[in-house]
Amino acid sequence: MYGSQGTPVPIGTRTSALVLGVALLLAGCSSSGGGDKTPDADAKISQRPTGADPIWVNPETNAARQVAAYAKAGKTAEAAQIRKIAEQPTGEWIGPENPKAEAQGFTEAADKAGRTALLVLYDIPHRDCGQYSQGGAGDGDSYRAWLDAVAQGIADRSATVILEPDALLHLVDGCTPAEYQDERYDLLNYAIGKLKSLKNTKVYLDAGNAGWGHPDEIYQPLQRAGIAKADGFAVNVSNFYSTQDSIAYGKQLSAKVGGKHFVIDTSRNGKGPYTAGDADENWCNPPGRSLGETPTTKTADPLVDAYLWVKRPGESDGTCKGGPKAGQWWASYALALAKSSE
């Protein structure tokens, strides 16, 4: 069942917000410094030291705007909690309407700050099997055109791309109808090849999480999808499995695909997965979870290239457990994640 795999969030920052964020960054609202001092509640969001993490921090995320709103309302304690999210680099989920403009805006802003943009591509046809994040490109040709536009937007600037969360898992579990499976493999191969033709782009193909199954079930689909051409694979995207369990899962899988490196989404895995509810929806807005390790390239294993916040903490998994639509900001949930990480 899908619930054992977790759900990515497809709703990216739209172009209007992107333009505003880039404008603020270029105007100098974000700095390349980083210190140990605790910032004021209304202080601007700045970049982290490159030695800790080279990924760009967007100063205009939902979390950053929530910090500003709390500060304006005099809610300094709440602002300080949400700042735990706002100060971290998170994935930018490229939307379907303006892929070139979004990819260009994010990578230009990152380049201006001397950082790398973290982009999540989630537009594969027939995605999410009709569940909370259903949608995607209408057909293969539309997807290739969308992917080409993303590549044009990235150009020669530095980017790390997480490619198509759940796309492979839904081939393995049969959720994707048989008539679309060959096309999906072709599209993933195309995407990897196109992105790797760019000068400074790294590509990690999503490969599930420690709780969905066994590496034996996915390593051949990974190979068929073109993992040999990619920089590696991603695990635990939008899910909650511990970093330790994710490393173990990733290392088993790496051994079956030529020693490929991998990255781990640690955005919400500080307390591991939720096990008290309906097993089919324990992935969806589970209560009592916590922020995980902050993004860094200094990891616990040489095969792990980075801990990343691919999923944006505080953005809903879907309309379950009282949440808004997938990808929408949910301030109370974000606050609970941050407080639980103390």
Side-chain angles (χ1 to χ4, degrees):
M1 295 296 291
Y2 175 78
S4 66
Q5 299 165 7
T7 182
V9 175
I11 308 299
T13 304
R14 290 297 178 249
T15 303
S16 58
L18 162 66
V19 172
L20 174 61
V22 173
L24 286 171
L25 181 67
L26 297 181
C29 289
S30 188
S31 70
S32 60
D36 296 328
K37 293 180 67 178
T38 301
D40 295 334
D42 59 351
K44 297 297 183 182
I45 302 301
S46 63
Q47 302 301 315
R48 299 181 67 211
T50 54
D53 184 40
I55 302 298
W56 174 62
V57 176
N58 185 345
E60 281 295 310
T61 60
N62 286 323
R65 287 189 284 271
Q66 187 69 65
V67 169
Y70 278 145
K72 184 177 180 180
K75 298 180 177 181
T76 55
E78 290 87 347
Q81 290 292 343
I82 299 299
R83 183 173 284 277
K84 295 176 184 178
I85 298 172
E87 288 184 331
Q88 303 305 326
T90 55
E92 303 292 352
W93 296 68
I94 302 297
E97 294 89 2
N98 298 291
K100 180 179 178 180
E102 291 189 5
Q104 181 175 342
F106 290 132
T107 55
E108 284 183 346
D111 186 66
K112 179 72 173 181
R115 303 300 196 277
T116 295
L118 176 61
L119 307 180
V120 188
L121 304 191
Y122 185 56
D123 198 41
I124 204 79
H126 319 291
R127 73 176 185 210
D128 201 20
C129 304
Q131 299 198 49
Y132 293 121
S133 298
Q134 62 183 290
D139 55 34
D141 288 341
S142 297
Y143 182 77
R144 292 184 185 91
W146 179 83
L147 197 287
D148 289 349
V150 172
Q152 290 168 12
I154 295 172
D156 286 344
R157 290 176 290 273
S158 180
T160 294
V161 173
I162 307 301
L163 183 60
E164 295 299 340
D166 271 356
L168 275 182
L169 297 191
H170 286 163
L171 290 171
V172 174
D173 68 8
C175 185
T176 302
E179 62 265 32
Y180 302 129
Q181 293 189 8
D182 287 344
E183 176 189 62
R184 178 164 296 186
Y185 281 116
D186 289 343
L187 293 177
L188 292 173
N189 270 281
Y190 179 83
I192 293 171
K194 186 72 175 184
L195 294 166
K196 286 308 299 175
S197 72
L198 303 176
K199 184 177 180 181
N200 292 302
T201 296
K202 292 184 177 181
V203 181
Y204 295 88
L205 178 59
D206 182 64
N209 58 69
W212 81 274
H214 192 275
D216 282 345
E217 299 176 70
I218 198 170
Y219 81 91
Q220 289 178 321
L222 266 177
Q223 291 171 331
R224 185 176 172 185
I227 190 64
K229 299 178 294 183
D231 293 273
F233 55 91
V235 302
N236 203 47
V237 171
S238 294
N239 219 299
F240 302 87
Y241 290 93
S242 72
T243 302
Q244 180 179 2
D245 289 346
S246 296
I247 290 174
Y249 171 79
K251 290 178 72 172
Q252 291 180 61
L253 187 52
S254 173
K256 296 178 178 295
V257 291
K260 283 288 183 178
H261 286 211
F262 57 100
V263 295
I264 301 171
D265 185 353
T266 61
S267 58
R268 303 181 298 174
N269 73 347
K271 292 192 175 178
Y274 181 63
T275 59
D278 181 349
D280 288 340
E281 285 211 347
N282 278 349
W283 54 269
C284 191
N285 299 324
R289 300 308 91 196
S290 171
L291 304 174
E293 289 96 338
T294 55
T296 183
T297 54
K298 296 180 178 180
T299 69
D301 192 279
L303 282 175
V304 183
D305 286 344
Y307 302 148
L308 303 173
W309 283 14
V310 182
K311 159 74 178 183
R312 298 158 72 99
E315 295 184 2
S316 177
D317 292 318
T319 53
C320 56
K321 302 181 182 69
K325 291 182 179 180
Q328 292 188 4
W329 177 250
W330 189 5
S332 60
Y333 194 83
L335 199 58
L337 285 172
K339 287 181 175 179
S340 184
S341 67
E342 293 180 338

